[in-house]
Amino acid sequence: MEVKRRNRTTLFRKRYDRNASLSRRASTRGRAAIWQARLTLLVMINIAQLWILSATIEAVLSGLVKQIVPLIIASAVCWLIALSIFLWWKPAERHD
Amino acid sequence: MTRDFQNTVNEILSDESDVRSASESYQAEFPYELEREFQVTRREFCNFLFLTSSALFLGSAATGAKLLMRSTAEPALVPQKISGAGDLQPGASINFAFPSENDSAILVRAANGNYYAFDQKCTHLTCPVYYSRENDRLECPCHEGGFDVHTGDVLYGPPPRPLPQIEVEERDGEIWAIGIKRKGNGSET
C-alpha cells in the first residue's frame, strides 16, 4: 500500500515537473519574442527619427519655417512611442 | 548532458542581465576570453536605442528651435557702407557682411555698370553663391543652382526661391547697403 502510494506520488511529481518545464520553456520563448519585438520597434523608430532629423536640417538650411514645427512634433511622437516601449512594454516578471 | 545544455540555454535566455554568470559552465570548459570582452545584451541594446531616440529628438528640436528663434528675431537694418565698392570694375564682385557681421553678402557690378547685391547664402542648402563672369550669373557650386544677377531669380537647379536682394544706393560716390528685399513663397525666414 505504502509502495503504491509512493509510486503514485512520484508519478504525479514527474508529471508536474514535466508540465512546469514545458511551461517555463514556453514562457522563455515568449519573453524572447517580446524582447525581439521591442528591439525591432525601437530600431524602426530610430530609423524614422534619423529621417526626420535629416529633413529638419534640410528645412533649416533652406529656411522653410513652416516645415519645422510638424517635423519636431513627428520626432516628439516617435520619442514618446520609444519611451512607452522603454517603460511599459516589457515582458511580465516570472514568479516561479 | 542534454538536460544540462538545455538548462544553460534557458539560463542564458532568461537571465540576460548577466550573460557571463549565465554562461559560466561554458567558460570553465573553454576558458579563453579577451581582456576586455564586449557583450551586449538585448536589454542593453534596447536602452541604447532609447537613448539614441532621445538624442535624435533633442537634435531635431534644437535645430528647429534655432531657426524659429532666428526667424522671429530679425536684426535691425542699419545702412552700411560697402568698402571697396567704388573701385569695382564691371564684371567683378566683392563680398561684404550685411545686415550683421555673420551674414555674408555679395555685391556684383554687372557689365552694364549697375550694382546688384544679394544675400550670399543659396536658398537651397545655404552654400555660398559666387559670381560667374563668363555666364554673367550667380552660381551655387554645391548643387548646380543658378540665379539671375540682376534680379536674384532662380534660373535653374534645385533652389526653391530667389536670392534675397540687398538694396543698394550710391551716396557721395560710395555704395551703401540699405535694406533687404525678399521674394518667394512666403515660407522663408
Side-chain angles (χ1 to χ4, degrees):
Chain A
M1 186 67 180
E2 179 63 25
V3 173
K4 200 174 177 183
R5 199 165 64 92
R6 201 179 298 157
N7 282 346
R8 189 183 292 172
T9 310
T10 313
L11 188 69
F12 278 141
R13 184 167 294 157
K14 273 185 180 171
R15 195 172 291 169
Y16 173 79
D17 286 350
R18 209 187 71 189
N19 286 343
S21 168
L22 283 173
S23 161
R24 184 177 297 176
R25 204 176 302 164
S27 159
T28 303
R29 215 177 291 158
R31 287 166 64 85
I34 291 171
W35 277 106
Q36 206 69 29
R38 293 183 78 199
L39 260 181
T40 310
L41 284 170
L42 284 170
V43 166
M44 284 163 60
I45 287 168
N46 272 241
I47 291 169
Q49 280 190 299
L50 269 174
W51 181 86
I52 290 169
L53 178 62
S54 64
T56 308
I57 291 171
E58 195 168 326
V60 167
L61 291 176
S62 307
L64 300 170
V65 178
K66 285 178 182 172
Q67 291 182 8
I68 295 295
V69 175
L71 286 167
I72 292 176
I73 290 172
S75 189
V77 168
C78 286
W79 181 74
L80 286 174
I81 295 171
L83 182 69
S84 73
I85 291 170
F86 181 72
L87 289 180
W88 297 304
W89 298 10
K90 285 180 176 174
E93 292 298 320
R94 186 184 288 159
H95 294 295
D96 55 358
Chain B
M1 182 64 187
T2 313
R3 191 175 176 79
D4 288 344
F5 172 73
Q6 191 60 47
N7 285 341
T8 310
V9 169
N10 286 342
E11 278 179 28
I12 290 173
L13 287 176
S14 62
D15 186 11
E16 291 195 359
S17 59
D18 191 356
V19 172
R20 291 210 62 77
S21 71
S23 58
E24 206 168 359
S25 58
Y26 284 131
Q27 290 159 31
E29 289 175 15
F30 193 76
Y32 298 100
E33 58 184 24
L34 296 174
E35 198 169 318
R36 295 175 64 192
E37 195 164 357
F38 182 70
Q39 296 192 36
V40 179
T41 63
R42 274 182 290 201
R43 191 188 299 263
E44 287 168 349
F45 193 49
C46 276
N47 295 348
F48 170 75
L49 287 175
F50 173 68
L51 285 176
T52 311
S53 170
S54 306
L56 290 170
F57 166 58
L58 288 177
S60 295
T63 313
K66 192 178 166 188
L67 175 67
L68 291 175
M69 283 169 61
R70 206 172 57 200
S71 66
T72 51
E74 283 281 336
L77 293 178
V78 180
Q80 285 180 27
K81 189 176 83 173
I82 305 172
S83 54
D87 304 329
L88 209 59
Q89 298 300 313
S93 68
I94 55 167
N95 292 339
F96 64 102
F98 186 80
S100 72
E101 284 185 4
N102 298 323
D103 298 312
S104 62
I106 184 167
L107 176 75
V108 179
R109 189 167 188 192
N112 59 13
N114 291 337
Y115 291 94
Y116 302 95
F118 300 94
D119 188 348
Q120 205 186 4
K121 285 179 281 193
C122 177
T123 52
H124 179 220
L125 290 176
T126 330
C127 289
V129 296
Y130 70 94
Y131 175 61
S132 168
R133 186 188 297 186
E134 301 81 39
N135 303 315
D136 193 32
R137 65 186 175 217
L138 293 163
E139 292 180 353
C140 176
C142 290
H143 303 100
E144 306 288 329
F147 301 90
D148 189 299
V149 76
H150 306 290
T151 60
D153 291 337
V154 180
L155 297 176
Y156 58 88
R161 300 182 306 279
L163 285 174
Q165 187 162 15
I166 295 172
E167 295 168 312
V168 292
E169 73 175 21
E170 202 169 340
R171 297 178 183 173
D172 303 327
E174 298 284 352
I175 304 299
W176 286 68
I178 56 169
I180 296 181
K181 198 163 60 182
R182 297 181 193 276
K183 293 183 276 186
N185 55 12
S187 60
E188 71 269 25
T189 56

